[in-house]
Amino acid sequence: MDSITQFETETTNPKASPWHICGWICAIVIGLSVLSCLVLSAIQSVAFTEITITALDREAEPKDHQLPYVKQLDALPDYDLRLILRRGDSIQLGCKPNSSAADGLTWHLYTPVGVARVSTIRLEEQDKVISDTLAEVDSNGNSVTHNGYRFDFTTERSFLTGVESFFELPIGKAIATGFMIAVLILALRIYIALH
């Protein structure tokens, strides 16, 4: 008789109800989601703040034109720098017209861009008809040399950039979806409990 009474008490105990178990599962999912977001955002928080391009050979720099009686200052290349993002689009950092990169040209990123978001960095010689790609490098390391140009990167940690990078990752989108579902189920549980 005691075992039947104990069974009835356990089945009628509100702490063992499916809604209570679901509430605990949702709370755990929410907690793990927030923790995952913080950890992955910290990992993804390194962002570009400056990129400096240096031409290793001044004589090998492309010239706009080689016409007689035209100022050689105007014959210097028009350097354009782009960040090619992993999702396929790009961020143009701007053009430095009629400039030599022999002494180094620096692009300042006023809004830092996460290193994890960038696939490659492309240096182009801007032209009115067709822009020529001079060099394209991966964003690994602090300094990369390719095709006669040295790319020097200045980075810093930015939590906001890390969060943005986190939500662009497939796992970040999955965690955000799980978080929202858990919050909705928890809200529904509280609503049903109050009514």
Side-chain angles (χ1 to χ4, degrees):
M1 196 68 158
D2 289 335
S3 61
I4 294 173
T5 309
Q6 183 181 0
F7 177 75
E8 288 176 354
T9 307
E10 287 176 359
T11 56
T12 57
N13 185 355
K15 289 185 179 180
S17 73
W19 277 110
H20 188 73
I21 293 169
C22 184
W24 275 106
I25 291 171
C26 290
I28 290 169
V29 168
I30 291 169
L32 289 176
S33 298
V34 170
L35 183 63
S36 300
C37 177
L38 292 174
V39 169
L40 290 173
S41 294
I43 292 169
Q44 303 280 328
S45 66
V46 177
F48 289 116
T49 55
E50 279 185 0
I51 299 174
T52 301
I53 308 297
T54 306
L56 301 177
D57 182 5
R58 187 183 298 267
E59 299 303 317
E61 283 188 287
K63 302 287 189 252
D64 280 347
H65 44 69
Q66 294 288 348
L67 300 175
Y69 307 111
V70 175
K71 292 187 295 183
Q72 287 304 303
L73 178 66
D74 292 337
L76 290 172
D78 301 331
Y79 286 110
D80 190 19
L81 193 64
R82 290 179 182 271
L83 302 179
I84 310 300
L85 303 181
R86 295 195 188 281
R87 64 181 184 212
D89 55 339
S90 66
I91 299 173
Q92 184 175 8
L93 299 182
C95 180
K96 297 200 180 279
N98 301 319
S99 302
S100 171
D103 297 324
L105 293 173
T106 300
W107 281 263
H108 301 280
L109 285 76
Y110 297 104
T111 303
V113 177
V115 172
R117 294 178 58 203
V118 178
S119 173
T120 59
I121 295 141
R122 182 182 298 160
L123 178 65
E124 298 178 341
E125 203 281 312
Q126 193 179 59
D127 192 280
K128 290 189 183 346
V129 182
I130 298 173
S131 295
D132 297 324
T133 299
L134 301 174
E136 188 164 344
V137 297
D138 292 331
S139 56
N140 299 334
N142 295 330
S143 182
V144 179
T145 302
H146 181 257
N147 209 24
Y149 291 92
R150 187 179 73 239
F151 293 71
D152 296 308
F153 309 117
T154 304
T155 58
E156 68 179 23
R157 289 204 172 267
S158 167
F159 181 73
L160 183 60
T161 301
V163 171
E164 289 174 1
S165 296
F166 168 77
F167 285 112
E168 285 185 3
L169 295 171
I171 191 167
K173 292 175 184 175
I175 289 171
T177 302
F179 177 85
M180 291 305 298
I181 291 170
V183 167
L184 290 173
I185 291 172
L186 202 55
L188 179 63
R189 179 186 176 273
I190 292 169
Y191 176 78
I192 290 173
L194 294 175
H195 289 84

